[in-house]
Amino acid sequence: MLEAQAIQTANETEADAHRRDLDARAEQLQHRGSDLESTLERLRAFEVAVPSWALGTGGTRFGRFPIEGEPRDVYEKLDDIAVIRELTRATPRVSLHIPWDEPDDAPALRAHAAALGLGFDAVNSNTFQDQPGQSLSYKFGSFCHTDAAVRDQAVAHNLHVIEVGRKLGSDSITVWLADGANYPGQMHLRRSFERTLASLERVYAALPDGWRLFTEHKPYEPAFYATVVQDWGSSLMLAQALGERAFCLVDLGHHLPNTNIELVVARLIAADRLGGFHFNDAKYGDDDLTAGSVRPFQLFLVMNELVDAARDRGASFAPSYMIDQSHNVKDPIEALLMTVDNLQRAYAKALLVDREALEHHQERNDVVMAERTLREAYETDVRPLVAEVRRRQGGALDPIAAFRASGYRQRTAGTRSRAGYVPPQSL
Ligand code: LRH
Ligand code: MN
């Protein structure tokens, strides 16, 4: 946790400028007929889960550059996520990856999280790596494997992940499968899909009451010729075949160049199968960069589909918003603070779209006015609104500035030495 006054002190230095900006924005919005207070109320409801695997520095096959003070275990990862929640007031849940962050004592981890004001979003299974002591390899796949014993092993792992999630108070599981082939002819494209569906049916059948299962598509990597769950169509086929508690998860980085991702989102909404997101950004492949850092307009267009759907779907429209990133050159906490800020901004801009006017121009094919209506919202500087929503909940006007002023990273650099460190055994 941050020191008591840290956020207040940081906010004091920004207070006057913030007040001026907010008043100016309020006047501009009023002039447009938008109501500041209802926008702030809806923005306040935007929450996103932080992935446990993004608090340590990430890397590529070419290298990893660790920083001083990064978390040494899942408990310290929760401590860092709590700091992000304190500063942004928008990250009350953690998405855990098993076995990467498997707690040796789930009730103890749940209590540690609760004490930090945190809960658990979707748990993630992992049948894309062979664990030490694992009897059968996933080299040629898991749910799609030609050997029933490998499929059994993968199903058993997912049932175990559900069990851990149940103890943590989670209510959903995300299944991303690396399953696929590197060469034409290597894998039967239909049988591999049928085996994957049959394996997922066994996991689906074991879902506790109220749980949802998310299937996550990805076009390539680590498979470089064909991936079993390659695109949204494959994911939707699985969700529809499994049942009403199966949904599609959209990782923004899992689309081939020039894919219209907001259209994919609109299709999954139309099918009532949009389960959630892994927010991030990318320039080329699955780059897992800070959401909104490369294609902020695309992120806005995705948020625009979500706000539009909430308008006609009502409260039942509740996709799980989660982040999935890898921080190779930024301090992971700072990268996540920027991510949450970028997501809040994109969502705030989407809330400011004049939907009556947009529909009016769309229905009359007034292309220019329709595009202008959308752009006007996108080009609105919503930073004072996002800062105000954080301030009203006790958060930071400028989370990065407050985080740096807090000295939290210097403190963890001092306390989290690896020398002689023994991971906690059931605290
Ligand atoms: C696959 C993926 C998946 C996670 C992993 C960490 O690329 O997006 O969601 O399991 O990253
Ligand atoms: Mn993902």
Side-chain angles (χ1 to χ4, degrees), residues 256-294:
L256 297 174
N258 305 330
T259 299
N260 185 327
I261 301 177
E262 57 273 20
L263 188 142
V264 171
V265 170
R267 291 289 173 275
L268 294 173
I269 291 170
D272 287 321
R273 294 292 170 154
L274 179 66
F277 285 87
H278 277 177
F279 289 118
N280 49 50
D281 211 338
K283 180 78 176 158
Y284 305 103
D286 187 20
D287 310 342
D288 283 341
L289 301 175
T290 303
S293 61
V294 176

mmCIF file of all heavy atoms in Angstrom, residues 256-294:
data_model
loop_
_atom_site.group_PDB
_atom_site.id
_atom_site.type_symbol
_atom_site.label_atom_id
_atom_site.label_comp_id
_atom_site.label_asym_id
_atom_site.label_seq_id
_atom_site.Cartn_x
_atom_site.Cartn_y
_atom_site.Cartn_z
ATOM 1 N N LEU A 256 -4.893 -10.388 -37.178
ATOM 2 C CA LEU A 256 -3.947 -10.128 -38.260
ATOM 3 C C LEU A 256 -3.988 -8.653 -38.633
ATOM 4 O O LEU A 256 -4.998 -7.976 -38.379
ATOM 5 C CB LEU A 256 -4.293 -11.029 -39.445
ATOM 6 C CG LEU A 256 -4.156 -12.528 -39.153
ATOM 7 C CD1 LEU A 256 -4.658 -13.356 -40.325
ATOM 8 C CD2 LEU A 256 -2.705 -12.878 -38.815
ATOM 9 N N PRO A 257 -2.890 -8.122 -39.179
ATOM 10 C CA PRO A 257 -2.835 -6.697 -39.526
ATOM 11 C C PRO A 257 -4.075 -6.264 -40.316
ATOM 12 O O PRO A 257 -4.609 -7.029 -41.117
ATOM 13 C CB PRO A 257 -1.573 -6.613 -40.387
ATOM 14 C CG PRO A 257 -0.708 -7.720 -39.884
ATOM 15 C CD PRO A 257 -1.662 -8.840 -39.537
ATOM 16 N N ASN A 258 -4.581 -5.035 -39.993
ATOM 17 C CA ASN A 258 -5.730 -4.447 -40.706
ATOM 18 C C ASN A 258 -7.047 -5.118 -40.401
ATOM 19 O O ASN A 258 -8.038 -4.843 -41.058
ATOM 20 C CB ASN A 258 -5.490 -4.441 -42.221
ATOM 21 C CG ASN A 258 -4.207 -3.734 -42.590
ATOM 22 O OD1 ASN A 258 -3.793 -2.817 -41.879
ATOM 23 N ND2 ASN A 258 -3.540 -4.192 -43.622
ATOM 24 N N THR A 259 -7.074 -6.051 -39.430
ATOM 25 C CA THR A 259 -8.375 -6.601 -39.041
ATOM 26 C C THR A 259 -9.213 -5.502 -38.394
ATOM 27 O O THR A 259 -8.690 -4.711 -37.601
ATOM 28 C CB THR A 259 -8.210 -7.743 -38.023
ATOM 29 O OG1 THR A 259 -7.441 -8.791 -38.603
ATOM 30 C CG2 THR A 259 -9.570 -8.294 -37.588
ATOM 31 N N ASN A 260 -10.485 -5.421 -38.761
ATOM 32 C CA ASN A 260 -11.384 -4.447 -38.132
ATOM 33 C C ASN A 260 -11.893 -5.058 -36.831
ATOM 34 O O ASN A 260 -12.920 -5.733 -36.793
ATOM 35 C CB ASN A 260 -12.537 -4.117 -39.072
ATOM 36 C CG ASN A 260 -13.427 -3.016 -38.499
ATOM 37 O OD1 ASN A 260 -13.592 -2.927 -37.283
ATOM 38 N ND2 ASN A 260 -13.992 -2.185 -39.361
ATOM 39 N N ILE A 261 -11.166 -4.811 -35.734
ATOM 40 C CA ILE A 261 -11.473 -5.472 -34.449
ATOM 41 C C ILE A 261 -12.806 -4.996 -33.887
ATOM 42 O O ILE A 261 -13.570 -5.775 -33.311
ATOM 43 C CB ILE A 261 -10.325 -5.260 -33.451
ATOM 44 C CG1 ILE A 261 -9.017 -5.829 -34.012
ATOM 45 C CG2 ILE A 261 -10.642 -5.891 -32.103
ATOM 46 C CD1 ILE A 261 -7.801 -5.608 -33.127
ATOM 47 N N GLU A 262 -13.150 -3.704 -34.078
ATOM 48 C CA GLU A 262 -14.444 -3.239 -33.566
ATOM 49 C C GLU A 262 -15.591 -3.949 -34.280
ATOM 50 O O GLU A 262 -16.656 -4.172 -33.683
ATOM 51 C CB GLU A 262 -14.581 -1.715 -33.691
ATOM 52 C CG GLU A 262 -14.432 -1.129 -35.070
ATOM 53 C CD GLU A 262 -12.983 -0.811 -35.445
ATOM 54 O OE1 GLU A 262 -12.057 -1.377 -34.812
ATOM 55 O OE2 GLU A 262 -12.783 -0.030 -36.390
ATOM 56 N N LEU A 263 -15.378 -4.376 -35.519
ATOM 57 C CA LEU A 263 -16.427 -5.139 -36.220
ATOM 58 C C LEU A 263 -16.539 -6.541 -35.652
ATOM 59 O O LEU A 263 -17.636 -7.056 -35.471
ATOM 60 C CB LEU A 263 -16.150 -5.179 -37.722
ATOM 61 C CG LEU A 263 -17.246 -5.778 -38.588
ATOM 62 C CD1 LEU A 263 -17.383 -5.013 -39.895
ATOM 63 C CD2 LEU A 263 -16.991 -7.243 -38.865
ATOM 64 N N VAL A 264 -15.384 -7.150 -35.300
ATOM 65 C CA VAL A 264 -15.407 -8.458 -34.647
ATOM 66 C C VAL A 264 -16.201 -8.362 -33.343
ATOM 67 O O VAL A 264 -17.068 -9.192 -33.052
ATOM 68 C CB VAL A 264 -13.960 -8.948 -34.362
ATOM 69 C CG1 VAL A 264 -13.966 -10.190 -33.488
ATOM 70 C CG2 VAL A 264 -13.209 -9.195 -35.669
ATOM 71 N N VAL A 265 -15.951 -7.286 -32.605
ATOM 72 C CA VAL A 265 -16.654 -7.069 -31.336
ATOM 73 C C VAL A 265 -18.164 -6.939 -31.584
ATOM 74 O O VAL A 265 -18.978 -7.556 -30.896
ATOM 75 C CB VAL A 265 -16.100 -5.812 -30.626
ATOM 76 C CG1 VAL A 265 -16.966 -5.418 -29.441
ATOM 77 C CG2 VAL A 265 -14.649 -6.055 -30.186
ATOM 78 N N ALA A 266 -18.524 -6.161 -32.617
ATOM 79 C CA ALA A 266 -19.952 -5.961 -32.930
ATOM 80 C C ALA A 266 -20.622 -7.291 -33.309
ATOM 81 O O ALA A 266 -21.764 -7.551 -32.920
ATOM 82 C CB ALA A 266 -20.094 -4.960 -34.076
ATOM 83 N N ARG A 267 -19.904 -8.171 -34.012
ATOM 84 C CA ARG A 267 -20.471 -9.475 -34.392
ATOM 85 C C ARG A 267 -20.699 -10.338 -33.152
ATOM 86 O O ARG A 267 -21.726 -10.988 -33.020
ATOM 87 C CB ARG A 267 -19.533 -10.201 -35.367
ATOM 88 C CG ARG A 267 -19.437 -9.555 -36.741
ATOM 89 C CD ARG A 267 -20.716 -9.727 -37.551
ATOM 90 N NE ARG A 267 -20.623 -8.955 -38.786
ATOM 91 C CZ ARG A 267 -20.937 -7.654 -38.863
ATOM 92 N NH1 ARG A 267 -21.379 -6.999 -37.784
ATOM 93 N NH2 ARG A 267 -20.834 -7.016 -40.026
ATOM 94 N N LEU A 268 -19.707 -10.355 -32.246
ATOM 95 C CA LEU A 268 -19.837 -11.191 -31.039
ATOM 96 C C LEU A 268 -20.938 -10.658 -30.123
ATOM 97 O O LEU A 268 -21.646 -11.427 -29.477
ATOM 98 C CB LEU A 268 -18.489 -11.266 -30.317
ATOM 99 C CG LEU A 268 -17.380 -12.001 -31.074
ATOM 100 C CD1 LEU A 268 -16.048 -11.879 -30.348
ATOM 101 C CD2 LEU A 268 -17.742 -13.469 -31.291
ATOM 102 N N ILE A 269 -21.125 -9.330 -30.127
ATOM 103 C CA ILE A 269 -22.240 -8.744 -29.367
ATOM 104 C C ILE A 269 -23.560 -9.188 -29.988
ATOM 105 O O ILE A 269 -24.476 -9.625 -29.296
ATOM 106 C CB ILE A 269 -22.132 -7.208 -29.346
ATOM 107 C CG1 ILE A 269 -20.945 -6.747 -28.508
ATOM 108 C CG2 ILE A 269 -23.432 -6.576 -28.808
ATOM 109 C CD1 ILE A 269 -20.624 -5.255 -28.638
ATOM 110 N N ALA A 270 -23.644 -9.118 -31.315
ATOM 111 C CA ALA A 270 -24.875 -9.516 -32.006
ATOM 112 C C ALA A 270 -25.218 -10.975 -31.706
ATOM 113 O O ALA A 270 -26.386 -11.340 -31.582
ATOM 114 C CB ALA A 270 -24.710 -9.318 -33.510
ATOM 115 N N ALA A 271 -24.193 -11.799 -31.523
ATOM 116 C CA ALA A 271 -24.409 -13.232 -31.225
ATOM 117 C C ALA A 271 -24.589 -13.468 -29.724
ATOM 118 O O ALA A 271 -24.715 -14.624 -29.291
ATOM 119 C CB ALA A 271 -23.214 -14.042 -31.735
ATOM 120 N N ASP A 272 -24.573 -12.366 -28.929
ATOM 121 C CA ASP A 272 -24.655 -12.494 -27.462
ATOM 122 C C ASP A 272 -23.594 -13.429 -26.904
ATOM 123 O O ASP A 272 -23.824 -14.165 -25.940
ATOM 124 C CB ASP A 272 -26.047 -12.989 -27.035
ATOM 125 C CG ASP A 272 -27.091 -11.891 -27.182
ATOM 126 O OD1 ASP A 272 -26.744 -10.741 -26.862
ATOM 127 O OD2 ASP A 272 -28.213 -12.187 -27.651
ATOM 128 N N ARG A 273 -22.385 -13.390 -27.501
ATOM 129 C CA ARG A 273 -21.305 -14.256 -27.055
ATOM 130 C C ARG A 273 -20.031 -13.493 -26.737
ATOM 131 O O ARG A 273 -18.952 -14.089 -26.675
ATOM 132 C CB ARG A 273 -21.001 -15.324 -28.104
ATOM 133 C CG ARG A 273 -22.110 -16.326 -28.326
ATOM 134 C CD ARG A 273 -22.309 -17.205 -27.122
ATOM 135 N NE ARG A 273 -23.532 -18.009 -27.248
ATOM 136 C CZ ARG A 273 -23.703 -19.181 -26.624
ATOM 137 N NH1 ARG A 273 -22.753 -19.679 -25.878
ATOM 138 N NH2 ARG A 273 -24.838 -19.819 -26.770
ATOM 139 N N LEU A 274 -20.151 -12.172 -26.544
ATOM 140 C CA LEU A 274 -18.950 -11.431 -26.148
ATOM 141 C C LEU A 274 -18.745 -11.593 -24.651
ATOM 142 O O LEU A 274 -19.519 -11.079 -23.850
ATOM 143 C CB LEU A 274 -19.056 -9.945 -26.496
ATOM 144 C CG LEU A 274 -17.840 -9.100 -26.075
ATOM 145 C CD1 LEU A 274 -16.591 -9.494 -26.858
ATOM 146 C CD2 LEU A 274 -18.120 -7.614 -26.222
ATOM 147 N N GLY A 275 -17.691 -12.354 -24.272
ATOM 148 C CA GLY A 275 -17.475 -12.644 -22.853
ATOM 149 C C GLY A 275 -16.551 -11.655 -22.189
ATOM 150 O O GLY A 275 -16.727 -11.314 -21.026
ATOM 151 N N GLY A 276 -15.550 -11.146 -22.947
ATOM 152 C CA GLY A 276 -14.619 -10.229 -22.307
ATOM 153 C C GLY A 276 -13.455 -9.870 -23.201
ATOM 154 O O GLY A 276 -13.397 -10.275 -24.370
ATOM 155 N N PHE A 277 -12.530 -9.144 -22.597
ATOM 156 C CA PHE A 277 -11.389 -8.617 -23.345
ATOM 157 C C PHE A 277 -10.077 -8.858 -22.635
ATOM 158 O O PHE A 277 -10.036 -8.910 -21.402
ATOM 159 C CB PHE A 277 -11.526 -7.098 -23.511
ATOM 160 C CG PHE A 277 -12.544 -6.696 -24.518
ATOM 161 C CD1 PHE A 277 -13.875 -6.553 -24.158
ATOM 162 C CD2 PHE A 277 -12.190 -6.509 -25.838
ATOM 163 C CE1 PHE A 277 -14.832 -6.205 -25.095
ATOM 164 C CE2 PHE A 277 -13.136 -6.156 -26.785
ATOM 165 C CZ PHE A 277 -14.463 -6.006 -26.414
ATOM 166 N N HIS A 278 -9.045 -8.977 -23.410
ATOM 167 C CA HIS A 278 -7.661 -8.792 -22.972
ATOM 168 C C HIS A 278 -7.196 -7.538 -23.690
ATOM 169 O O HIS A 278 -6.933 -7.558 -24.889
ATOM 170 C CB HIS A 278 -6.791 -10.005 -23.356
ATOM 171 C CG HIS A 278 -6.883 -11.121 -22.383
ATOM 172 N ND1 HIS A 278 -6.238 -12.318 -22.582
ATOM 173 C CD2 HIS A 278 -7.541 -11.246 -21.202
ATOM 174 C CE1 HIS A 278 -6.484 -13.119 -21.544
ATOM 175 N NE2 HIS A 278 -7.268 -12.500 -20.705
ATOM 176 N N PHE A 279 -7.188 -6.430 -22.959
ATOM 177 C CA PHE A 279 -6.787 -5.156 -23.553
ATOM 178 C C PHE A 279 -5.264 -5.060 -23.615
ATOM 179 O O PHE A 279 -4.559 -5.433 -22.674
ATOM 180 C CB PHE A 279 -7.330 -3.976 -22.728
ATOM 181 C CG PHE A 279 -8.815 -3.776 -22.812
ATOM 182 C CD1 PHE A 279 -9.616 -3.876 -21.677
ATOM 183 C CD2 PHE A 279 -9.417 -3.484 -24.029
ATOM 184 C CE1 PHE A 279 -10.998 -3.682 -21.760
ATOM 185 C CE2 PHE A 279 -10.795 -3.276 -24.124
ATOM 186 C CZ PHE A 279 -11.578 -3.384 -22.984
ATOM 187 N N ASN A 280 -4.779 -4.583 -24.738
ATOM 188 C CA ASN A 280 -3.357 -4.281 -24.939
ATOM 189 C C ASN A 280 -3.280 -3.559 -26.285
ATOM 190 O O ASN A 280 -4.313 -3.179 -26.844
ATOM 191 C CB ASN A 280 -2.504 -5.570 -24.971
ATOM 192 C CG ASN A 280 -3.088 -6.613 -25.909
ATOM 193 O OD1 ASN A 280 -3.395 -6.313 -27.069
ATOM 194 N ND2 ASN A 280 -3.266 -7.827 -25.408
ATOM 195 N N ASP A 281 -2.105 -3.371 -26.824
ATOM 196 C CA ASP A 281 -1.973 -2.779 -28.157
ATOM 197 C C ASP A 281 -0.842 -3.465 -28.900
ATOM 198 O O ASP A 281 -0.021 -4.168 -28.292
ATOM 199 C CB ASP A 281 -1.741 -1.260 -28.071
ATOM 200 C CG ASP A 281 -2.324 -0.536 -29.286
ATOM 201 O OD1 ASP A 281 -2.509 -1.187 -30.335
ATOM 202 O OD2 ASP A 281 -2.615 0.675 -29.171
ATOM 203 N N ALA A 282 -0.847 -3.258 -30.209
ATOM 204 C CA ALA A 282 0.154 -3.932 -31.041
ATOM 205 C C ALA A 282 0.393 -3.137 -32.311
ATOM 206 O O ALA A 282 -0.500 -2.458 -32.797
ATOM 207 C CB ALA A 282 -0.338 -5.333 -31.395
ATOM 208 N N LYS A 283 1.615 -3.216 -32.830
ATOM 209 C CA LYS A 283 1.958 -2.590 -34.116
ATOM 210 C C LYS A 283 2.046 -3.662 -35.190
ATOM 211 O O LYS A 283 1.662 -3.443 -36.327
ATOM 212 C CB LYS A 283 3.323 -1.888 -33.971
ATOM 213 C CG LYS A 283 3.836 -1.189 -35.211
ATOM 214 C CD LYS A 283 3.157 0.138 -35.422
ATOM 215 C CE LYS A 283 3.728 0.908 -36.628
ATOM 216 N NZ LYS A 283 2.738 1.889 -37.105
ATOM 217 N N TYR A 284 2.467 -4.827 -34.818
ATOM 218 C CA TYR A 284 2.721 -5.895 -35.812
ATOM 219 C C TYR A 284 2.010 -7.195 -35.452
ATOM 220 O O TYR A 284 1.102 -7.623 -36.138
ATOM 221 C CB TYR A 284 4.229 -6.138 -35.950
ATOM 222 C CG TYR A 284 4.987 -4.889 -36.294
ATOM 223 C CD1 TYR A 284 5.726 -4.201 -35.320
ATOM 224 C CD2 TYR A 284 4.936 -4.349 -37.563
ATOM 225 C CE1 TYR A 284 6.387 -3.025 -35.615
ATOM 226 C CE2 TYR A 284 5.594 -3.167 -37.885
ATOM 227 C CZ TYR A 284 6.312 -2.510 -36.906
ATOM 228 O OH TYR A 284 6.964 -1.340 -37.193
ATOM 229 N N GLY A 285 2.406 -7.836 -34.345
ATOM 230 C CA GLY A 285 1.854 -9.146 -33.978
ATOM 231 C C GLY A 285 1.232 -9.068 -32.595
ATOM 232 O O GLY A 285 0.618 -8.064 -32.240
ATOM 233 N N ASP A 286 1.386 -10.134 -31.811
ATOM 234 C CA ASP A 286 0.866 -10.136 -30.438
ATOM 235 C C ASP A 286 1.887 -9.448 -29.537
ATOM 236 O O ASP A 286 2.515 -10.069 -28.675
ATOM 237 C CB ASP A 286 0.621 -11.583 -29.984
ATOM 238 C CG ASP A 286 -0.083 -11.628 -28.629
ATOM 239 O OD1 ASP A 286 -0.696 -10.608 -28.260
ATOM 240 O OD2 ASP A 286 0.028 -12.652 -27.947
ATOM 241 N N ASP A 287 2.022 -8.141 -29.722
ATOM 242 C CA ASP A 287 3.110 -7.386 -29.089
ATOM 243 C C ASP A 287 2.846 -7.101 -27.613
ATOM 244 O O ASP A 287 3.750 -6.706 -26.886
ATOM 245 C CB ASP A 287 3.321 -6.060 -29.846
ATOM 246 C CG ASP A 287 3.450 -6.266 -31.359
ATOM 247 O OD1 ASP A 287 3.716 -7.409 -31.775
ATOM 248 O OD2 ASP A 287 3.247 -5.294 -32.100
ATOM 249 N N ASP A 288 1.623 -7.224 -27.151
ATOM 250 C CA ASP A 288 1.276 -7.008 -25.734
ATOM 251 C C ASP A 288 1.766 -5.671 -25.190
ATOM 252 O O ASP A 288 2.218 -5.573 -24.046
ATOM 253 C CB ASP A 288 1.851 -8.160 -24.890
ATOM 254 C CG ASP A 288 0.995 -9.415 -25.036
ATOM 255 O OD1 ASP A 288 -0.175 -9.275 -25.456
ATOM 256 O OD2 ASP A 288 1.480 -10.511 -24.731
ATOM 257 N N LEU A 289 1.665 -4.625 -26.009
ATOM 258 C CA LEU A 289 2.074 -3.282 -25.600
ATOM 259 C C LEU A 289 0.957 -2.613 -24.795
ATOM 260 O O LEU A 289 -0.160 -3.113 -24.719
ATOM 261 C CB LEU A 289 2.398 -2.448 -26.848
ATOM 262 C CG LEU A 289 3.506 -2.998 -27.753
ATOM 263 C CD1 LEU A 289 3.625 -2.136 -29.010
ATOM 264 C CD2 LEU A 289 4.836 -3.058 -27.011
ATOM 265 N N THR A 290 1.288 -1.457 -24.219
ATOM 266 C CA THR A 290 0.326 -0.707 -23.402
ATOM 267 C C THR A 290 -0.913 -0.362 -24.228
ATOM 268 O O THR A 290 -0.809 0.240 -25.294
ATOM 269 C CB THR A 290 0.980 0.597 -22.901
ATOM 270 O OG1 THR A 290 2.169 0.251 -22.171
ATOM 271 C CG2 THR A 290 0.040 1.380 -22.012
ATOM 272 N N ALA A 291 -2.094 -0.739 -23.739
ATOM 273 C CA ALA A 291 -3.348 -0.451 -24.454
ATOM 274 C C ALA A 291 -3.425 1.041 -24.781
ATOM 275 O O ALA A 291 -3.094 1.887 -23.936
ATOM 276 C CB ALA A 291 -4.535 -0.870 -23.609
ATOM 277 N N GLY A 292 -3.809 1.353 -26.030
ATOM 278 C CA GLY A 292 -3.958 2.746 -26.451
ATOM 279 C C GLY A 292 -2.658 3.441 -26.779
ATOM 280 O O GLY A 292 -2.647 4.619 -27.134
ATOM 281 N N SER A 293 -1.535 2.723 -26.707
ATOM 282 C CA SER A 293 -0.236 3.389 -26.938
ATOM 283 C C SER A 293 0.103 3.487 -28.422
ATOM 284 O O SER A 293 0.877 4.357 -28.814
ATOM 285 C CB SER A 293 0.874 2.612 -26.222
ATOM 286 O OG SER A 293 0.950 1.284 -26.745
ATOM 287 N N VAL A 294 -0.444 2.600 -29.268
ATOM 288 C CA VAL A 294 -0.104 2.602 -30.695
ATOM 289 C C VAL A 294 -1.327 2.977 -31.543
ATOM 290 O O VAL A 294 -1.231 3.773 -32.468
ATOM 291 C CB VAL A 294 0.415 1.211 -31.135
ATOM 292 C CG1 VAL A 294 0.687 1.174 -32.629
ATOM 293 C CG2 VAL A 294 1.650 0.822 -30.339
#
